[in-house]
Amino acid sequence: MKDKASSLPQEGEARPSRCPDNTAFKQQKLPAWKPQLNLATVLSSFFLTGAFCLSVGISLILATNSVREIQIDYSDKCLNCSKLRENSSNWNKECHCSADFTLKEDIQGDVFMYYGLQNFYQNHRRFMMSRSDAQLLGRNVTIPTYCAPFTTYRNGTPMAPCGAIANSMFNDTIELFYNLNSSVIQVPLLKTGNCWWTDKNVKFRNPKSYNLSSAFAGTARPPYWHKPVYLLDEEDEKNTGYINEDFIIWMRVSAFATFRNLYRRVRRIRQFADGLPAGNYTFRIAYNFPVTKFKGRKHVVLSTVVWSGGSNPFLGIAYVVTGTAATLTGFVITAIHLKLRKKKTYFQK
């Protein structure tokens, strides 16, 4: 074994240097842009930023104000169904209610239908983690993980889909009817094309099998569901199972307790080719989703969209506030400069 002292540098030998190499990169001598800040550049930056933010903010606010929207709260109009759903033993009993409203003016263009919930907190950590992405990708159907407490039944049968998010899926059925004179016309609604393309084609996939029902053999529906996942849409095989769009939209949790999710789009045909005409309408609702236990409320929203999105003035207001602050800062800097220059001129005299 070598002596420890022999590994030390002897007298006269050069010690190893820890200094970086003498290169332009390691010595930070590369050419760089060094802005020379003066009064003109600073003030122009503030005023240009203020003008840009104000113009964008005003445009967003004007666009948002042009959105046509009507919101119908049906929590009180469906009290009988709500009381029925308070008792969990009545989960298999059907209950229907209706909500009437009137459109005084036509709603032109594409009309979107949303369902909204109040006081429903989806951002709780345990709630958000209670899901299995592997299962939703069709890779692991019978052995769910990270889904507590909705993982398996007492007899060991796994749930598909598992987890608290899937179990609490919104399952009211909402239909819209147009009352024209003495006749009642059902408004045609589109139930596909409402979710993100990446969700439909990347994040959610059905397990591969010759028959979807056989792919979910050995599993059971979540406790609060009325039917298994492979029967979510019996009319369209491309919209059932894990790729059902109502299910996909619900699985994207909200950050706030009050939120809305896209439910349907009005199909623009026949009387509704230009949108929804003015007149009397009725929402017919199959009431399945109870909200009284968490003191929540439910509503339906009919809304149009513009180039900036739906009716949400927050972004426009934020731009206006930022632009106003930048412009005021520019004026303050200008006033300070003029005041200091006046003092300097006085002392020079």
Side-chain angles (χ1 to χ4, degrees), residues 111-145:
V111 182
F112 298 81
M113 180 190 294
Y114 303 82
Y115 63 84
L117 292 175
Q118 295 181 10
N119 206 37
F120 190 95
Y121 290 86
Q122 290 187 312
N123 59 353
H124 194 282
R125 182 174 179 273
R126 290 189 64 188
F127 181 86
M128 295 176 63
M129 292 185 63
S130 183
R131 60 184 293 165
S132 174
D133 291 325
Q135 186 188 52
L136 297 176
L137 283 170
R139 299 174 182 173
N140 194 349
V141 178
T142 59
I143 310 176
T145 56

Side-chain angles (χ1 to χ4, degrees), residues 113-302:
M113 180 190 294
Y114 303 82
Y115 63 84
L117 292 175
Q118 295 181 10
N119 206 37
F120 190 95
Y121 290 86
Q122 290 187 312
N123 59 353
H124 194 282
R125 182 174 179 273
R126 290 189 64 188
F127 181 86
M128 295 176 63
M129 292 185 63
S130 183
R131 60 184 293 165
S132 174
D133 291 325
Q135 186 188 52
L136 297 176
L137 283 170
R139 299 174 182 173
N140 194 349
V141 178
T142 59
I143 310 176
T145 56
Y146 311 110
C147 287
F150 299 97
T151 304
T152 59
Y153 286 92
R154 292 182 179 180
N155 60 1
T157 304
M159 300 180 189
C162 67
I165 305 176
N167 183 61
S168 62
M169 177 181 168
F170 183 86
N171 57 353
D172 282 0
T173 301
I174 306 171
E175 296 177 328
L176 180 60
F177 292 87
Y178 177 45
N179 305 315
L180 181 62
N181 299 326
S182 59
S183 60
V184 178
I185 303 172
Q186 184 172 4
V187 179
L189 301 175
L190 297 172
K191 56 186 175 182
T192 57
N194 299 326
C195 67
W196 294 10
W197 183 91
T198 52
D199 287 347
K200 180 87 171 181
N201 297 276
V202 179
K203 294 184 178 180
F204 293 81
R205 306 301 300 166
N206 281 327
K208 295 181 179 180
S209 177
Y210 68 93
N211 188 351
L212 194 58
S213 61
S214 63
F216 289 96
T219 65
R221 58 175 175 78
Y224 292 170
W225 284 31
H226 293 169
K227 51 187 176 182
V229 63
Y230 55 86
L231 294 179
L232 284 179
D233 190 346
E234 301 180 49
E235 299 176 358
D236 187 359
E237 61 180 8
K238 296 182 179 180
N239 188 46
T240 192
Y242 293 149
I243 58 174
N244 176 262
E245 296 200 12
D246 291 339
F247 174 69
I248 291 173
I249 291 173
W250 177 258
M251 293 299 291
R252 184 178 290 276
V253 297
S254 172
F256 302 100
T258 299
F259 61 92
R260 63 175 66 172
N261 285 334
L262 182 59
Y263 182 66
R264 296 289 184 267
R265 291 177 294 125
V266 174
R267 188 179 180 186
R268 299 176 62 176
I269 57 173
R270 299 191 298 273
Q271 296 97 332
F272 313 101
D274 297 325
L276 290 180
N280 298 320
Y281 290 83
T282 300
F283 282 121
R284 293 184 184 176
I285 302 158
Y287 197 104
N288 298 309
F289 193 87
V291 295
T292 54
K293 289 187 177 180
F294 55 88
K295 299 179 181 179
R297 300 190 69 84
K298 297 188 291 186
H299 54 267
V300 189
V301 180
L302 293 174

Side-chain angles (χ1 to χ4, degrees), residues 4-26:
K4 184 176 182 180
S6 63
S7 61
L8 297 175
Q10 302 298 323
E11 186 177 354
E13 295 182 3
R15 292 177 176 270
S17 174
R18 294 187 178 181
C19 295
D21 296 337
N22 188 20
T23 61
F25 177 76
K26 293 187 176 181

